[in-house]
Amino acid sequence: YPIYQGNLFYNRLRLNVPHSYQEMFAYFKTQNKDDRILNLPIVWNWGWVVYDWGYTGSGFLWYGLDQPIVDRSFDVWSKYNEQFYWQFDHALLENDLVLFETVLDQYQITWLLVDDSLIVDNSKKQQYDNLEKLIAQTQTFHLEKEFDHLKLYQANQQGQLIEPINQVEK
């Protein structure tokens, strides 16, 4: 009987995802399916995120995007896979624009998706502040589109793409 009334799941588990995500998903339907998206800010090194509109979990963006997305949820179980994260995190900590742009080029990132609804804890506050500074300084990316709290920065042009460095276990 509860199933027929729509009560199969506990009602407090239901969330209304902000419309801005649907707008962004529709926009990316018109973009190159091979473009790689970096989901930012990277707020926790274990891949879990908390949004100010109520969602907590490992993420959901890949259900609405056809493009490959770089997200901590996919690389936290292997030190070989998480090399991007450590390089990118280092660029943010050092506030190093050249390293920032080099890492993004090395991993062929075409889009930066900055979601201001992600809750950044104090341990990552400096990196988030540096992220905003580096994006403002870069000549490699420009603000292409905004959907409420979502900002999409696109690479100005794809230059010589470098294959990711394979790390050998020591």
Side-chain angles (χ1 to χ4, degrees):
Y1 184 70
I3 292 172
Y4 297 111
Q5 292 182 316
N7 296 322
L8 183 60
F9 295 102
Y10 179 49
N11 66 352
R12 294 183 75 190
L13 290 177
R14 293 181 191 192
L15 288 174
N16 292 321
V17 176
H19 186 66
S20 53
Y21 293 100
Q22 294 302 324
E23 292 175 27
M24 181 192 63
F25 295 154
Y27 177 75
F28 272 113
K29 296 278 185 219
T30 67
Q31 301 303 310
N32 185 338
K33 303 286 187 245
D34 296 326
D35 287 353
R36 191 170 293 164
I37 303 166
L38 173 58
N39 187 24
L40 295 168
I42 301 170
V43 295
W44 197 37
N45 61 326
W46 295 108
W48 288 92
V49 291
V50 178
Y51 292 83
D52 64 11
W53 47 269
Y55 175 80
T56 299
S58 63
F60 64 93
L61 296 175
W62 37 91
Y63 297 112
L65 296 169
D66 293 327
Q67 291 81 359
I69 187 164
V70 178
D71 192 282
R72 287 295 293 162
S73 295
F74 300 117
D75 71 8
V76 298
W77 306 114
S78 169
K79 63 182 170 182
Y80 303 109
N81 293 343
E82 66 184 11
Q83 191 61 31
F84 166 81
Y85 168 74
W86 294 115
Q87 291 174 330
F88 191 76
D89 195 55
H90 181 71
L92 293 180
L93 279 172
E94 296 296 321
N95 201 23
D96 185 331
L97 180 61
V98 172
L99 183 56
F100 176 80
E101 291 176 335
T102 300
V103 171
L104 293 174
D105 182 53
Q106 177 182 351
Y107 290 93
Q108 304 174 13
I109 305 298
T110 306
W111 295 92
L112 305 177
L113 167 58
V114 180
D115 189 337
D116 290 333
S117 73
L118 282 163
I119 296 175
V120 180
D121 68 12
N122 288 334
S123 69
K124 291 290 185 180
K125 183 74 172 113
Q126 179 187 355
Q127 286 99 319
Y128 183 67
D129 291 344
N130 288 347
L131 171 65
E132 291 179 331
K133 290 176 193 171
L134 291 170
I135 289 174
Q137 294 172 14
T138 186
Q139 298 296 311
T140 306
F141 286 83
H142 67 277
L143 181 63
E144 175 68 18
K145 205 89 169 143
E146 286 186 73
F147 305 99
D148 191 22
H149 60 276
L150 302 171
K151 294 182 188 117
L152 292 176
Y153 296 88
Q154 185 179 25
N156 289 329
Q157 60 186 13
Q158 290 289 355
Q160 179 81 21
L161 297 178
I162 303 168
E163 291 298 314
I165 299 170
N166 292 327
Q167 297 296 321
V168 178
E169 185 175 355
K170 293 181 182 180

